[in-house]
Every structure is written in C-alpha cells, then in structure tokens.
C-alpha cells in the first residue's frame, strides 16, 4: 500500500498546505529519540526536494541538538479529514539561527513571531505515502494561541533568557548550538 517517490508532486504539496499538524522525528546515535508535534503557520514547501519550517521556542530544543550530530530527519503528516493518507518526508536537515545567512533567506516566508528560534531546512531524499486507513477522522476546531501569546508577553529579550535556561542542552545533555558563534 505504500508508494515511494524521489520528491513531492503537486498533489502532495496541496495536501501539505491543508494540514494543521505535522510531526518531526530526530535522533542522535545515543540518547532518546524525539518525536514532536508542530502546528501553527510554520511549514513551507520550497520545491519538490526542499522544505523549511519555523521552529518556535518551546520547553526543549531536542531537534537542534540531534541535528548537530545526525542530520537525519523524518516529517510525518496524517490526513485527519477527507481521504485517508499518511505522508512521510525523509531527508537531511540543518537548523539555522538568526546569526546564519540561510535563516534570513527564509524568514520572510513566515508570519513574524517573537518566539522564532530556528529555521529548519530539510532536503528530501525520499517521500513515502501510505494508506492511513487506521487514522481517525477528526474535525479541526482552531489553532491554540497560547504559545504566541506567551512569547509576545515575554518579549524577545526574555525569550533569549529563556533559551539560556531551557534550550541550550537536550534532555540527554547534548548542546543545541543556540548561542554558538560560527
């Protein structure tokens, strides 16, 4: 039932544009595997072989820590409405910070957000679709505004202080590179 593709086609790109939720999976050679749900208006398809997503400030920074050692990433979308489908994007990723030129190349693709932490670029090497027959049908109600409101209330200076407290190392004690100079 699975189909393997070398890149995203227009039908899959349109499917992605309609999704309200995606999941990101990363891992280092040692330590915990991280699977993280992402939402809001934070995902863009650049072309059939490249995607970017805006990584907002959160309680951890596992993805960045993992990518410093192992650039492998999987992104998964599930159709919770309409025709069933699971879409997985496999490839090599890198996290870019405000100090990086690539960050500035893509930041205007997204709405401004005080909580912006990194931009993740994923170059695809495999796209997989599968049936999704067991994924439940669910209705989208609305986006949560809690994260955006929290970041706006803190302001950029306090967000950066929060990074120092909560985002410089992973669960397993690995550096995230959030303040590392090139």
């Amino acid at each position: 039932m699975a189909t393997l593709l070398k890149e995203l086609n227009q039908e899959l790109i349109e499917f992605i544009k309609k999704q309200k939720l995606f999941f990101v999976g990363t891992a280092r050679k040692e330590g915990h595997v991280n699977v993280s749900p992402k939402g809001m208006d934070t995902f863009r398809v650049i072309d059939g072989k490249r995607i970017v997503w805006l990584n907002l400030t959160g309680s951890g920074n596992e993805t960045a820590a993992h990518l410093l050692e192992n650039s492998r990433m999987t992104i998964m979308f599930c159709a919770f409405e309409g025709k069933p489908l699971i879409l997985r994007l496999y490839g090599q990723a890198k996290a870019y910070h405000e100090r990086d030129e690539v960050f500035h190349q893509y930041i205007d693709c997204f709405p401004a957000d005080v909580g912006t932490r990194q931009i993740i670029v994923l170059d695809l090497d495999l796209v997989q679709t599968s049936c999704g027959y067991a994924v439940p049908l669910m209705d989208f109600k609305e986006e949560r505004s809690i994260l955006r409101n929290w970041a706006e209330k803190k302001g950029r200076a306090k967000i950066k202080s929060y990074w120092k407290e909560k985002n410089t190392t992973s669960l397993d004690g690995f550096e995230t590179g959030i303040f590392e100079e090139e």
Side-chain angles (χ1 to χ4, degrees), residues 10 17 20 22 25 35 41 55 58 62 73 87 91 93 101 108 111 131 135 144 148 157 159 168 174:
Q10 194 57 42
K17 287 179 181 177
K20 307 293 187 201
F22 62 100
V35 179
D41 187 12
N55 193 14
E62 302 305 300
M73 177 182 283
L87 173 63
E101 187 177 318
D108 290 336
C131 67
V135 174
R144 296 177 196 259
R148 182 165 283 126
I159 288 288
T168 58
F174 299 116

Side-chain angles (χ1 to χ4, degrees), residues 15 22 35-36 45 57 59 77 92 108 115 130 137 141 154 162:
F15 169 77
F22 62 100
V35 179
S36 185
V45 176
T57 299
S59 57
F77 293 91
Q92 305 302 309
D108 290 336
S130 56
L137 286 169
K141 185 175 178 183
K154 271 196 166 315
Y162 181 87

Side-chain angles (χ1 to χ4, degrees), residues 116-174:
T116 295
R117 184 170 57 191
Q118 294 119 346
I119 287 182
I120 310 294
V121 177
L122 175 64
D123 290 315
L124 305 176
D125 53 39
L126 183 64
V127 173
Q128 180 193 41
T129 63
S130 56
C131 67
Y133 294 164
V135 174
L137 286 169
M138 301 169 72
D139 293 323
F140 174 73
K141 185 175 178 183
E142 64 186 15
E143 281 188 1
R144 296 177 196 259
S145 59
I146 298 167
L147 184 63
R148 182 165 283 126
N149 294 343
W150 171 83
E152 287 174 0
K153 186 176 178 182
K154 271 196 166 315
R156 194 67 177 161
K158 287 184 181 176
I159 288 288
K160 288 184 177 186
S161 293
Y162 181 87
W163 292 350
K164 287 179 184 172
E165 181 184 339
K166 303 278 190 181
N167 289 174
T168 58
T169 58
S170 72
L171 281 172
D172 299 309
F174 299 116

Side-chain angles (χ1 to χ4, degrees), residues 7-19:
E7 63 185 53
L8 289 166
N9 59 36
Q10 194 57 42
E11 181 181 347
L12 294 176
I13 292 170
E14 292 304 316
F15 169 77
I16 289 170
K17 287 179 181 177
K18 294 176 185 173
Q19 302 312 301

Side-chain angles (χ1 to χ4, degrees), residues 88-103:
R88 290 180 184 90
L89 310 178
Y90 300 96
Q92 305 302 309
K94 185 168 180 181
Y96 294 96
H97 304 84
E98 273 184 290
R99 64 181 177 263
D100 300 315
E101 187 177 318
V102 173
F103 178 96

Side-chain angles (χ1 to χ4, degrees), residues 55-117:
N55 193 14
L56 301 173
T57 299
S59 57
N61 198 5
E62 302 305 300
T63 300
H66 292 175
L67 292 178
L68 285 175
E69 181 198 70
N70 184 346
S71 64
R72 256 182 340 173
M73 177 182 283
T74 301
I75 294 179
M76 184 180 74
F77 293 91
C78 298
F80 295 107
E81 301 174 314
K83 181 181 166 186
L85 177 66
I86 297 171
L87 173 63
R88 290 180 184 90
L89 310 178
Y90 300 96
Q92 305 302 309
K94 185 168 180 181
Y96 294 96
H97 304 84
E98 273 184 290
R99 64 181 177 263
D100 300 315
E101 187 177 318
V102 173
F103 178 96
H104 296 283
Q105 182 181 340
Y106 291 114
I107 191 62
D108 290 336
C109 295
F110 302 99
D113 194 301
V114 175
T116 295
R117 184 170 57 191

